[in-house]
Amino acid sequence: MNDTTNTASSSEVGTGSREGSASKGSQRPSAAGFGIFTLILIAVFVALGVWQLQRRVEKHALIAVLDERLAAPTEALPPPSAWPTVTSAKDEFRRVTLTATYAKQPDAMVFSSGSAVRDDVAGPGTWAFLPAKLASGETIVINTGFVQNTMQDRAFEDRVTGRLVTGAPVELTGYIRFPEPPGRLTPKEDPTKRLWFVRDHRAMAQALGWGKDGAQLAPFYIDLEAPVPDSGTPKPGPLKVRLKDDHMQYAITWFSLAAAVAIAFGLWWRGQRRRAG
């Protein structure tokens, strides 16, 4: 009987030992998998942090270039023959002078809730875009300035832009700008009210017939700095580049997440070893 009891006890011990070994074996792969997942997560967070630092360097270089262009002496508007070589990358915000005559054609308004490049513009209103003719016959679109008009009164807009259309050539100073594409949430334009929500002078020209006389349309428009009309409206003015620069904060966030994941895994691993001991 004692032999039988001893045999049974040995069998139970052996079974328990095998179960314990199986349990430890099942824990090891899960711990290894969790460790690999953690390393991947840390690598992704670190890579995102490094990418934000790279973006920060690029953004600072862009700001320096744009500030240099804004501070540079005024140049003559490139001739129409050179317009195909004028690009956003090398000419955006370049300050130029030109002489043009505002055309007797409908204006277009672009709604704005404020301005990222004008310190003197705050609150909602519209930018008044008008076509103008060069002496050589080409059409160039001018953003003549800001119109404080929260009620979107079309009659008021017609009056303030109508004063500019005198039929006489005007010497203008402004900045070369390029059209912006609409975003997914951008409201659709209203050609009846001649109201847009992005600065796309090409779309305005197509809808309102600017340059339909066969005249070449400039691929860029001019953000007007001067002259300021006697009435003060539309209100042109100097531009100041204020690009958003949050890349350092984003980089710190990604690096902090990487550190937090590493610390959390270290604490979990230490707890696992204590239980195993």
Side-chain angles (χ1 to χ4, degrees):
M1 184 172 180
N2 289 337
D3 291 341
T4 304
T5 303
N6 291 336
T7 301
S9 298
S10 299
S11 176
E12 290 173 359
V13 170
T15 302
S17 178
R18 286 194 298 271
E19 289 176 352
S21 298
S23 176
K24 288 181 180 179
S26 64
Q27 285 179 358
R28 283 171 190 162
S30 64
F34 188 41
I36 292 171
F37 173 75
T38 301
L39 286 175
I40 292 173
L41 206 57
I42 291 172
V44 169
F45 288 155
V46 170
L48 288 170
V50 171
W51 174 62
Q52 286 295 334
L53 291 179
Q54 292 171 342
R55 289 283 310 279
R56 183 172 183 264
V57 172
E58 294 169 359
K59 180 66 69 65
H60 284 191
L62 176 60
I63 291 172
V65 168
L66 296 181
D67 284 341
E68 182 180 354
R69 289 179 191 171
L70 291 173
T74 306
E75 306 172 6
L77 180 75
S81 60
W83 286 355
T85 65
V86 178
T87 64
S88 176
K90 66 182 181 64
D91 296 298
E92 185 96 38
F93 290 104
R94 196 173 297 282
R95 195 161 170 257
V96 296
T97 60
L98 66 150
T99 299
T101 303
Y102 288 115
K104 294 182 179 180
Q105 291 181 298
D107 65 82
M109 294 288 166
V110 180
F111 176 80
S112 174
S113 58
S115 176
V117 292
R118 287 273 300 273
D119 289 334
D120 60 333
V121 171
T126 52
W127 301 101
F129 279 66
L130 276 75
K133 291 283 188 180
L134 300 178
S136 51
E138 293 81 9
T139 297
I140 187 164
V141 177
I142 311 293
N143 174 14
T144 59
F146 190 71
V147 179
Q148 194 92 32
N149 184 20
T150 56
M151 299 304 293
Q152 296 300 306
D153 184 350
R154 177 26 89 176
F156 171 72
E157 293 168 343
D158 287 341
R159 285 196 301 274
V160 297
T161 57
R163 299 188 194 112
L164 302 176
V165 185
T166 63
V170 184
E171 186 173 338
L172 307 171
T173 300
Y175 306 86
I176 292 177
R177 301 293 306 276
F178 283 81
E180 57 187 8
R184 290 185 179 181
L185 302 179
T186 302
K188 189 172 177 57
E189 68 275 5
D190 186 345
T192 304
K193 294 182 178 179
R194 308 199 300 277
L195 179 65
W196 270 257
F197 295 89
V198 291
R199 300 181 179 205
D200 187 351
H201 72 287
R202 297 169 303 186
M204 301 173 198
Q206 185 175 4
L208 301 177
W210 300 344
K212 276 193 175 178
D213 53 2
Q216 181 182 0
L217 178 71
F220 50 84
Y221 66 91
I222 300 297
D223 248 341
L224 194 64
E225 178 185 13
V228 179
D230 294 337
S231 64
T233 306
K235 183 182 181 182
L239 304 187
K240 181 179 179 181
V241 177
R242 291 181 296 178
L243 298 181
K244 197 172 182 180
D245 183 16
D246 294 334
H247 299 296
M248 180 58 77
Q249 293 92 313
Y250 291 146
I252 291 172
T253 299
W254 290 122
F255 289 141
S256 299
L257 286 172
V261 170
I263 292 171
F265 179 78
L267 294 174
W268 176 83
W269 180 254
R270 187 170 66 178
Q272 291 295 105
R273 294 191 66 181
R274 282 180 178 175
R275 290 192 198 96

